[in-house]
């Protein structure tokens, strides 16, 4: 980026500094213009005439007012217009104080609507030109008077053009942003509809085959002792229905896989039986973890077992990442009545675990897993430092409870 571009970006980021620089430049131009003698013997020439004290004061006031042109454009136009009228009436020779009024009029036109620009522009042109023609020391047809009319008109026109261009560009930008939002919303809607359709199809197919499996299994159980041939036939139907359900499930889930996704795993999903192995990986990573368990002999449904494992895994990962290098963690798995309670505590001092409101993806994933198995999850900072993750998971699923209501 060039020096000029960097300077432009800096001034654009600080509009007050830009207005101050503009005011200083206008003051220099007005002071320099006051030394020009437009009626020299050879036309316009540089003379040695010096503006009087009143003209210098009016130029200073007009330039100073321009520093506030963005904050109060109409007020700045009123101030610069008044001092321009005073200079038109009293200045002889006249100093170019009207330059500040032209820039103020441009600012008003660029920051307001077109009707306001027309009204204010016509009023400013009429007042300044009329004062210069009727009350000034020069004849009404002098070129300086006509220049006042021309420059005020140019200022209003240029400001209106800039305002129109800004409005046009902003309208294009707004339409582009609206179109982008519409496309994103449409894409999300289509994805949600497709997921719902796939879920509905998957439910219908799997529910049909599982219903067949349930019926045939019941038949096989009923006739196993008296009619073993019919039981074998029913079990064959169970096997065929279960194979069809797996094929349909594999085909449907395969539609959701991306091209680069790994193949489906062939080993069983992890559970609390592999908790020691999981804790060992964190020991090797430098995290001290203590484990306390009173759930030995408790059989858990596969979904609950996997949820408990993943909660501990994610919680220890958060401790390793956010709690500090010297943090220690405690993991407890306790059977309490019909539930199993999983608790992960740490004494870390890091601030990365402050998202107890569920803002992090890890905590959100834990909550979704717990909700999926109809459990409850509480997370939050501990008194005195550290973080606590506590999950209550049902030992039996709803299906187990219906079949065995003990």
């Amino acid at each position: 980026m060039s020096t000029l571009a960097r300077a432009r970006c800096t001034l654009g980021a600080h509009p007050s500094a830009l207005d101050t620089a503009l005011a200083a430049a206008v003051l220099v131009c007005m002071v320099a213009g006051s030394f020009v003698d437009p009626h020299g013997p050879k036309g316009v020439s540089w003379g040695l005439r010096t503006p009087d004290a009143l003209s210098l004061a009016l130029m200073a006031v007009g330039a100073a007012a321009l520093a506030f042109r963005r904050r109060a454009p109409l007020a700045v136009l009123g101030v610069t217009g008044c001092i321009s009228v005073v200079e038109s009436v009293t200045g002889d020779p006249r100093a170019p104080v009207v330059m500040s009024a032209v820039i103020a009029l441009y600012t008003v036109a660029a920051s307001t609507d077109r009707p306001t620009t027309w009204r204010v522009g016509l009023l400013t042109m009429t007042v300044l030109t009329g004062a210069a023609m009727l009350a000034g020391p020069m004849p009404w047809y002098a070129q300086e008077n006509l220049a006042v009319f021309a420059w005020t008109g140019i200022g209003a026109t240029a400001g209106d053009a800039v305002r129109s261009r800004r409005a046009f560009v902003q309208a294009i930008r707004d339409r582009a942003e609206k179109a982008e939002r519409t496309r994103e919303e449409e894409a999300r809607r289509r994805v949600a509809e497709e997921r719902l359709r796939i879920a509905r199809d998957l439910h219908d197919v799997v529910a049909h085959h599982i219903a067949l499996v349930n019926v045939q299994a019941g038949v096989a159980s009923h006739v196993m002792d008296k009619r073993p041939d019919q039981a074998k036939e029913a079990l064959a139907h169970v096997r065929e229905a279960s194979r069809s359900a797996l094929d349909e499930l594999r085909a449907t889930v395969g539609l959701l896989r991306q091209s680069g996704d790994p193949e489906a795993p062939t080993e069983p999903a992890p559970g609390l039986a592999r908790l020691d192995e999981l804790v060992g990986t964190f020991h090797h990573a430098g995290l001290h973890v203590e484990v306390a368990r009173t759930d030995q002999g408790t059989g858990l449904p596969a979904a609950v077992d996997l949820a408990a494992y993943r909660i501990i895994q994610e919680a220890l990962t958060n401790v390793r990442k956010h709690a500090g290098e010297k943090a220690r963690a405690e993991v407890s798995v306790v059977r309490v009545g019909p539930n199993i309670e999983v608790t992960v505590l740490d004494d870390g001092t890091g601030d990365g675990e402050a998202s107890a409101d569920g803002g992090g993806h890890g905590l959100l994933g834990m909550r979704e897993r717990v909700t999926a198995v109809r459990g409850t999850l509480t997370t939050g900072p501990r008194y005195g430092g550290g973080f606590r993750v506590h999950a209550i998971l049902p030992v039996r699923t709803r299906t187990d409870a219906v079949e065995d209501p003990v």
Side-chain angles (χ1 to χ4, degrees):
M1 183 181 293
S2 64
T3 303
L4 180 60
R6 285 196 297 268
R8 185 179 303 171
C9 292
T10 303
L11 291 176
H14 302 84
S16 298
L18 179 60
D19 292 340
T20 303
L22 177 63
V26 170
L27 179 60
V28 171
C29 292
M30 288 191 296
V31 172
S34 64
F35 287 93
V36 176
D37 185 7
H39 302 288
K42 298 181 180 180
V44 178
S45 62
W46 288 92
L48 298 177
R49 65 187 181 95
T50 303
D52 54 23
L54 179 60
S55 296
L56 289 174
L58 294 176
M59 286 186 286
V61 172
L66 291 178
F68 305 94
R69 66 187 186 96
R70 296 178 192 264
R71 304 177 187 177
L74 289 174
V76 171
L77 178 60
V79 172
T80 55
C82 290
I83 64 176
S84 298
V85 170
V86 173
E87 175 63 20
S88 298
V89 174
T90 62
D92 188 18
R94 188 183 300 165
V97 180
V98 72
M99 183 178 181
S100 60
V102 172
I103 295 178
L105 180 59
Y106 163 85
T107 304
V108 171
S111 58
T112 58
D113 53 9
R114 180 161 293 172
T116 303
T117 299
W118 275 98
R119 291 193 294 267
V120 174
L122 289 176
L123 178 62
T124 303
M125 293 170 61
T126 302
V127 171
L128 295 184
T129 306
M133 289 182 174
L134 301 178
M138 293 179 292
W140 68 270
Y141 52 83
Q143 61 180 2
E144 287 86 349
N145 298 335
L146 298 178
V148 172
F149 179 83
W151 280 110
T152 50
I154 291 174
T157 304
D160 184 70
V162 169
R163 180 197 56 77
S164 298
R165 181 181 179 278
R166 289 174 180 171
F168 177 72
V169 172
Q170 185 62 37
I172 294 177
R173 185 179 295 111
D174 292 341
R175 284 197 296 269
E177 292 177 355
K178 183 179 180 179
E180 184 66 23
R181 289 195 300 269
T182 302
R183 284 195 296 269
E184 292 177 355
E185 292 173 358
E186 180 66 16
R188 286 194 294 267
R189 186 185 65 82
R190 289 181 179 274
V191 168
E193 291 178 353
E194 185 65 16
R195 287 178 176 175
L196 182 60
R197 185 190 65 80
I198 293 175
R200 189 181 296 114
D201 292 344
L202 184 62
H203 172 270
D204 294 342
V205 170
V206 175
H208 170 71
H209 289 295
I210 295 301
L212 290 179
V213 168
N214 185 47
V215 171
Q216 295 296 336
V219 171
S221 176
H222 183 69
V223 300
M224 179 67 71
D225 296 331
K226 297 180 180 179
R227 287 173 285 177
D229 293 337
Q230 187 176 355
K232 291 181 180 180
E233 183 179 355
L235 291 176
H237 287 300
V238 168
R239 181 179 180 183
E240 183 64 25
S242 62
R243 181 185 298 110
S244 299
L246 288 175
D247 292 339
E248 294 286 351
L249 180 62
R250 186 180 300 108
T252 305
V253 175
L255 296 175
L256 303 178
R257 290 185 179 274
Q258 302 294 331
S259 59
D261 288 347
E263 296 295 331
T266 57
E267 61 180 12
L272 292 179
R274 299 176 56 182
L275 179 59
D276 293 337
E277 178 183 347
L278 175 65
V279 171
T281 61
F282 285 97
H283 277 302
H284 292 307
L287 177 64
H288 181 79
V289 183
E290 295 182 359
V291 179
R293 299 185 62 176
T294 61
D295 65 317
Q296 284 78 4
T298 301
L300 298 178
V304 176
D305 199 18
L306 177 61
Y309 180 89
R310 293 302 188 195
I311 290 169
I312 297 173
Q313 183 183 40
E314 182 63 32
L316 293 178
T317 301
N318 288 340
V319 174
R320 185 69 182 88
K321 291 168 59 178
H322 305 297
E325 297 181 356
K326 298 182 180 180
R328 301 166 64 92
E330 299 178 6
V331 177
S332 65
V333 182
V334 181
R335 171 71 182 269
V336 181
N339 301 317
I340 186 168
E341 298 188 9
V342 177
T343 307
V344 180
L345 307 175
D346 71 81
D347 58 357
T349 58
D351 58 357
E353 294 178 315
S355 58
D357 56 352
H361 295 290
L363 296 182
L364 180 60
M366 291 185 200
R367 198 170 303 280
E368 289 179 349
R369 286 185 180 276
V370 172
T371 303
V373 296
R374 298 181 177 85
T376 60
L377 176 72
T378 56
T379 61
R382 300 173 61 193
Y383 179 77
F387 204 77
R388 177 177 181 267
V389 175
H390 180 68
I392 301 177
L393 308 175
V395 174
R396 296 184 180 183
T397 62
R398 181 175 298 181
T399 304
D400 295 337
V402 170
E403 293 179 354
D404 186 12
V406 176

